[in-house]
């Protein structure tokens, strides 16, 4: 914020300008009042002077008439003198009553002399007394002298007064000029402040506009801006017959990064992805973030589906470069759905939906890119109904379990089974867990599903136990369950309901579940260990987690992921990983369980590496519950 936009500057400028204008107005008022007072005063002096002049005139007339009479006493000289007697009295009385203080004094003093002179003149008119005439002459000249002196002092007073008024006026003018200059400066200051504020308002408006149309985390366009741009782009595409494409990009396994490394890392990753997307396309294309790890790219004038697919591939290879987060190097991948206008739709919203459907198809089929067509739409719709159907399947008990045996690596003795969920769909037939577990996880169904599986597995375990077989069961636990503090209580209820020792139940958890909220997960895991339930870390080595939590967590078992195990005899890298993981398990006092064992060599290699337990197609595929007893019987017999 600059000086001109400061609140204090604005306040000072406003207050200054107000004060300045008030001073200027005050000075103007003062100057007008003072001019008026000057005029009034001068007029007053002039009035008196005029009266004195008239008095003087009357006396002169009288005196002239007297002199004429003294020369020749005729009716022509007597009449004027008679008429002139007392003619100045009115003015003298006015001066005594309404004149200024000095007029009053002077008039009061002169009136008796004037009256005496009038008496003398009357006597002169009546009798022709020459002595009286001479005295009247003297009185006249005395009166005239005094009045002349009054008049000249009046003139002097006016001159003095006007000089003082002039001086005052010039002072006032200087003050006015100063106030004017000051005001002009304040007006300029105020103008600068106004301009500053205008700039600030414009900037704020631009900022608001930007915020309303951009994603705060990545700075990319948001849904609103995308919709707006799409509207014009679609209209142009239709008018000029230049097909445009809309791409939806969704990261694979983003949730896992967020859960294992925390939201801060998730945010960093999203920013990097945003940058890569922006670099991968032209300036005229628009990259937007729709929310979460979902992005959209608008390609105006792309021309054809092939071109759009090429851009999508370019985006995927830009994403494929490894990202370093918190010192870990991660590989990120994404799925891109493509929809074209006008081929797929000329409606922006529908185009977005179609690109979304294509993106889900790309994710499902792990194909990277998928271009929309109507068949995908049907499949997309079926994904939606799958959620409802899965919910019903859990409620109505349409899920059932297969059990895959596990054996001790050195002796081959069976030491338990892993319960694996299956879904017998009324029309689609048998659905694999890889298809419905992600749906359950994404739609809040994993907790009821896990409870359902634990319940069914324990019921089966109880049935085997009643038939004389003690078979420990392992159940896979959805990550979300470990974030629910009621989960240990639920498990305790189920164990109690089936009347089994807790040690017969092993819960297989994944690393990401622990890392997403370690404090809460540790609480839940502690609650479970206190029940006496065994804990196993599933798919060990595939997550993004650190192994430091192994120290603080009381787990019993480490399950080496089948991606390292199955080919360990032919792949030196896998073999090294398996050896390292087994050693790690031993050091932490954990039982090492290898899954995905498909042949004898692998089994032998695992036994030699010190692995405790093996599981895999070589021992047995997952079997329906009723086949397990027969299998166990055969195996026991063979063993014996
Ligand atoms: P998982 O926990 O790693 O389960 C082992 C999977 O490996 C099972 O697949 C099993 O059939 C398969 N498998 C067993 N032996 C071999 C072998 O020798 N070679 C190969 N290639 N595969 C073998 P399935 O039953 O399709 O389950 C897939 C995944 O679905 C499971 O992986 C587990 O993550 C999840 N899942 C299954 N049932 C449940 C469940 O009840 N709850 C939860 N939360 N997840 C489940
Ligand atoms: Ca498992
Ligand atoms: Ca596994």
């Amino acid at each position: 914020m600059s000086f001109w936009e400061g609140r204090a500057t604005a306040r000072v400028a406003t207050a200054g300008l107000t004060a300045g204008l008030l001073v200027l107005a005050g000075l103007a008022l003062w100057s007008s009042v003072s001019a008026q007072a000057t005029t009034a005063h001068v007029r007053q002096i002039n009035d008196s002077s005029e009266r004195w002049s008239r008095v003087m005139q009357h006396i002169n007339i009288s005196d002239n008439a007297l002199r004429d009479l003294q020369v020749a006493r005729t009716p022509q000289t007597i009449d004027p003198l008679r008429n002139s007697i007392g003619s100045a009295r009115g003015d003298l009385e006015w001066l005594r009553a309404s004149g200024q203080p000095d007029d009053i004094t002077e008039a009061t003093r002169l009136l008796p002399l004037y009256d005496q002179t009038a008496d003398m003149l009357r006597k002169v008119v009546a009798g022709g007394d020459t002595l009286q005439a001479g005295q009247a002459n003297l009185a006249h000249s005395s009166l005239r002298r005094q009045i002349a002196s009054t008049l000249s002092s009046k003139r002097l007073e006016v001159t003095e007064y006007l000089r003082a008024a002039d001086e005052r006026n010039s002072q006032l003018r200087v003050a006015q000029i100063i106030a004017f200059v000051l005001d002009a400066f304040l007006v300029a200051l105020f103008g600068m402040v106004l301009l500053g504020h205008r700039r600030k308002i414009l900037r704020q408006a631009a900022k608001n506009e930007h915020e309303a149309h951009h994603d705060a985390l990545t700075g990319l366009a948001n849904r609103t801006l995308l919709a707006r741009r799409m509207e014009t782009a679609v209209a142009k595409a239709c008018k000029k017959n230049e097909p445009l494409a809309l791409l939806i990009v969704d990261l694979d396994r983003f949730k896992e990064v967020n859960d294992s490394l925390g939201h801060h890392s998730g945010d960093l990753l999203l920013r990097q992805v945003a940058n890569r997307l922006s670099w991968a396309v032209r300036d005229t294309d628009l990259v937007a973030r729709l929310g979460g790890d979902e992005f959209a790219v608008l390609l105006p004038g792309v021309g054809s589906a092939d071109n759009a697919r090429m851009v999508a591939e370019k985006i995927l290879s830009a994403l494929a470069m490894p990202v370093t987060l918190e010192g870990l190097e991660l590989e990120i991948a994404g799925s891109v759905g493509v929809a074209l206008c006008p081929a797929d739709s000329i409606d922006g919203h529908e185009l977005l939906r179609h690109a979304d459907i294509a993106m889900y198809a790309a994710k499902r089929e792990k194909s990277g890119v998928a271009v929309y067509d109507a068949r995908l739409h049907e499949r997309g719709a079926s994904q939606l109904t799958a959620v409802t159907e899965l919910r019903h399947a859990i409620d109505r008990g349409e899920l059932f379990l297969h059990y895959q045996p596990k054996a001790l690596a050195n002796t081959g003795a069976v030491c338990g089974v892993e319960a694996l969920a299956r879904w017998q769909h009324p029309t689609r037939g048998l659905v694999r867990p890889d298809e419905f577990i992600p749906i359950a996880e994404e739609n809040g169904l994993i907790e009821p599903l896990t409870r359902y599986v634990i319940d069914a597995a324990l019921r089966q375990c109880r049935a085997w136990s009643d038939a004389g077989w003690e078979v420990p069961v392992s159940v896979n636990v959805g990550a979300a369950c470990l974030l629910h503090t009621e989960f240990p209580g639920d498990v305790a209820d189920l164990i109690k309901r089936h009347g089994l020792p807790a040690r017969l139940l092993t819960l297989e958890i994944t690393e990401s579940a622990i890392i997403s909220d370690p404090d809460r997960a540790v609480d839940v895991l502690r609650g479970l260990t206190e029940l006496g339930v065994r804990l196993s870390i599933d798919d060990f080595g595939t997550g993004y987690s650190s192994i430091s939590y192994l120290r603080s967590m009381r787990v019993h078992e480490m399950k080496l992921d089948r991606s390292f195990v199955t080919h360990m005899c032919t792949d030196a890298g896998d073999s090294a990983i398996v050896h390292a993981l087994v050693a790690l398990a031993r050091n932490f006092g954990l039982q090492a369980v290898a899954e995905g064992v498909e042949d004898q060599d692998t089994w032998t290699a695992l036994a030699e590496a010190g692995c405790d337990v093996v599981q895999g197609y070589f021992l047995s595929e997952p079997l329906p519950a009723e086949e397990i007893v027969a299998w166990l019987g055969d195996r026991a017999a063979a063993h014996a």
Side-chain angles (χ1 to χ4, degrees):
M1 191 172 62
S2 83
F3 172 76
W4 300 113
E5 293 163 13
R7 202 172 275 264
T9 317
R11 245 186 242 142
V12 168
T14 316
L17 190 61
T18 314
L21 288 175
L22 281 176
V23 166
L24 206 58
L27 285 174
L29 190 70
W30 184 20
S31 118
S32 126
V33 166
S34 121
Q36 211 168 18
T38 308
T39 325
H41 190 77
V42 170
R43 186 178 297 133
Q44 232 169 21
I45 298 175
N46 275 346
D47 281 354
S48 331
S49 298
E50 210 173 299
R51 294 278 176 167
W52 284 118
S53 301
R54 270 210 314 261
V55 171
M56 183 75 131
Q57 237 169 12
H58 284 298
I59 290 172
N60 281 342
I61 291 170
S62 221
D63 196 51
N64 287 340
L66 177 65
R67 282 179 204 278
D68 290 348
L69 190 135
Q70 278 171 318
V71 173
R73 193 175 168 88
T74 62
Q76 280 84 2
T77 54
I78 293 173
D79 274 351
L81 182 64
R82 184 187 297 124
N83 291 342
S84 75
I85 296 173
S87 59
R89 205 173 197 285
D91 286 321
L92 277 171
E93 271 171 2
W94 182 92
L95 283 163
R96 193 179 56 183
S98 317
Q100 290 174 292
D102 55 336
D103 295 328
I104 294 168
T105 326
E106 195 64 15
T108 312
R109 207 167 54 81
L110 290 185
L111 255 174
L113 182 59
Y114 183 76
D115 284 344
Q116 272 173 15
T117 315
D119 280 346
M120 289 175 204
L121 291 177
R122 269 188 215 103
K123 283 181 190 150
V124 171
V125 169
D129 186 342
T130 43
L131 190 71
Q132 289 287 336
Q135 275 179 350
N137 267 335
L138 286 176
H140 271 158
S141 28
S142 161
L143 279 171
R144 275 207 311 244
R145 250 191 333 270
Q146 290 183 51
I147 290 168
S149 132
T150 305
L151 272 172
S152 79
S153 81
K154 285 272 160 204
R155 261 196 300 280
L156 204 68
E157 193 188 340
V158 169
T159 319
E160 267 306 299
Y161 186 81
L162 285 179
R163 204 188 47 76
D166 259 357
E167 202 167 305
R168 254 198 331 273
N169 271 346
S170 62
Q171 276 168 359
L172 206 62
R173 230 183 344 268
V174 170
Q176 272 172 330
I177 289 170
I178 292 174
F180 177 79
V181 170
L182 216 66
D183 275 359
F185 170 74
L186 286 170
V187 166
L189 181 76
F190 198 72
M192 297 288 268
V193 167
L194 275 186
L195 271 178
H197 274 257
R198 198 182 114 85
R199 266 202 304 273
K200 190 168 147 192
I201 288 167
L202 285 178
R203 226 183 13 245
Q204 186 63 41
K207 191 167 160 238
N208 290 350
E209 164 92 4
H210 185 89
E211 275 169 9
H213 291 117
H214 290 83
D215 171 48
L217 177 68
T218 59
L220 292 179
N222 64 10
R223 223 174 242 283
T224 317
L225 185 56
L226 176 71
R228 196 185 278 182
R229 287 282 180 81
M230 208 141 69
E231 209 172 294
T232 41
V234 162
K236 202 170 149 198
C238 294
K239 200 168 134 203
K240 295 198 168 169
N241 197 23
E242 267 179 9
L244 72 80
L246 180 68
L247 271 48
I248 292 209
V249 184
D250 191 279
L251 303 185
D252 297 340
R253 309 213 303 167
F254 172 71
K255 197 177 166 312
E256 221 169 293
V257 174
N258 225 10
D259 287 350
S260 7
L261 300 183
H263 290 278
H264 176 65
S265 300
D267 286 353
L268 289 180
L269 178 63
L270 289 176
R271 285 213 194 101
Q272 293 220 24
V273 167
N275 285 343
R276 290 181 184 194
L277 290 180
S278 305
W279 292 333
V281 300
R282 294 172 306 183
D283 286 346
T284 44
D285 302 333
L286 180 77
V287 181
R289 178 168 172 231
L290 300 178
D293 59 342
E294 204 175 46
F295 298 85
V297 184
L298 180 68
L299 305 174
V302 75
S304 68
D306 283 344
N307 288 350
R309 189 185 276 278
M310 236 156 59
V311 177
E313 302 282 1
K314 198 170 148 204
I315 284 174
L316 285 182
S317 41
L319 288 182
M321 286 185 286
V323 183
T324 312
L325 278 185
E326 317 260 312
L328 279 180
E329 199 168 86
L330 307 184
E331 304 244 322
I332 42 173
S335 305
V336 186
V338 181
L340 284 131
C341 166
D344 296 329
S345 171
I346 53 161
D347 174 73
H349 295 284
E350 198 173 38
L351 212 57
L352 206 63
R353 257 200 322 278
H354 287 178
D356 213 39
I357 288 168
M359 184 276 291
Y360 274 109
K363 220 178 236 294
R364 218 173 26 243
E365 288 151 19
K366 298 192 166 47
S367 58
V369 182
V371 179
Y372 176 81
D373 74 46
R375 274 170 316 197
L376 290 182
H377 198 150
E378 285 156 25
R379 258 179 275 161
S382 76
Q383 159 95 11
L384 267 185
T385 50
V387 178
T388 325
E389 286 178 343
L390 182 60
R391 188 174 288 127
H392 285 162
I394 297 168
D395 291 345
R396 297 187 197 137
E398 283 171 18
L399 297 185
F400 63 98
L401 302 182
H402 276 181
Y403 297 90
Q404 185 174 37
K406 297 187 289 185
L408 295 178
N410 46 12
T411 64
V414 174
C415 60
V417 292
E418 177 179 0
L420 294 159
R422 300 289 179 261
W423 179 13
Q424 189 62 49
H425 189 274
T427 54
R428 285 162 63 195
L430 191 69
V431 185
R432 309 272 319 161
D434 285 337
E435 275 182 71
F436 67 83
I437 295 292
I439 297 178
E441 266 167 354
E442 279 161 25
N443 296 282
L445 294 175
I446 195 67
E447 288 167 80
L449 185 142
T450 304
R451 259 198 305 277
Y452 175 92
V453 175
I454 295 176
D455 186 35
L458 288 177
R459 184 176 302 112
Q460 187 56 56
C461 184
R462 177 61 200 251
W464 288 325
S465 158
D466 289 347
W469 298 92
E470 187 176 83
V471 189
V473 282
S474 297
V475 172
N476 295 287
V477 171
C481 300
L482 295 191
L483 301 179
H484 283 257
T485 39
E486 314 89 65
F487 185 61
D490 292 352
V491 175
D493 287 347
L494 290 169
I495 293 172
K496 210 154 105 200
R497 188 186 309 163
H498 295 291
L500 285 168
R503 65 180 164 79
L504 289 185
L505 178 64
T506 297
L507 297 178
E508 295 189 2
I509 56 182
T510 52
E511 294 162 288
S512 62
I514 303 166
I515 302 305
S516 71
D517 185 348
D519 294 341
R520 197 121 56 101
V522 165
D523 275 351
V524 172
L525 291 177
R526 188 177 301 123
L528 291 170
T529 354
E530 278 165 8
L531 295 178
V533 167
R534 292 180 82 249
L535 294 179
S536 165
I537 302 186
D538 204 357
D539 303 341
F540 193 86
T542 58
Y544 293 130
S545 59
S546 85
I547 53 166
S548 63
Y549 66 88
L550 282 179
R551 259 186 310 162
S552 51
M553 215 89 64
R554 281 193 286 157
V555 291
H556 307 84
E557 181 181 294
M558 177 194 285
K559 265 191 116 165
L560 315 189
D561 194 66
R562 62 177 183 275
S563 59
F564 315 125
V565 173
T566 308
H567 305 294
M568 68 175 283
C569 286
T570 50
D571 186 317
D574 284 354
S575 168
I577 292 175
V578 168
H579 278 84
L581 291 180
V582 169
L584 186 67
R586 303 224 127 209
N587 284 337
F588 278 102
L590 307 179
Q591 191 174 51
V593 181
E595 60 175 28
V597 180
E598 296 185 354
D599 50 54
Q600 179 65 62
D601 290 351
T602 308
W603 185 317
T604 313
L606 283 163
E608 279 169 11
C611 180
D612 302 293
V613 176
V614 290
Q615 174 185 355
Y617 293 161
F618 183 66
L619 180 64
S620 166
E621 285 188 14
L623 299 172
E626 51 282 8
E627 289 177 27
I628 284 283
V629 173
W631 185 88
L632 284 173
D634 291 352
R635 179 132 185 116
H639 227 66

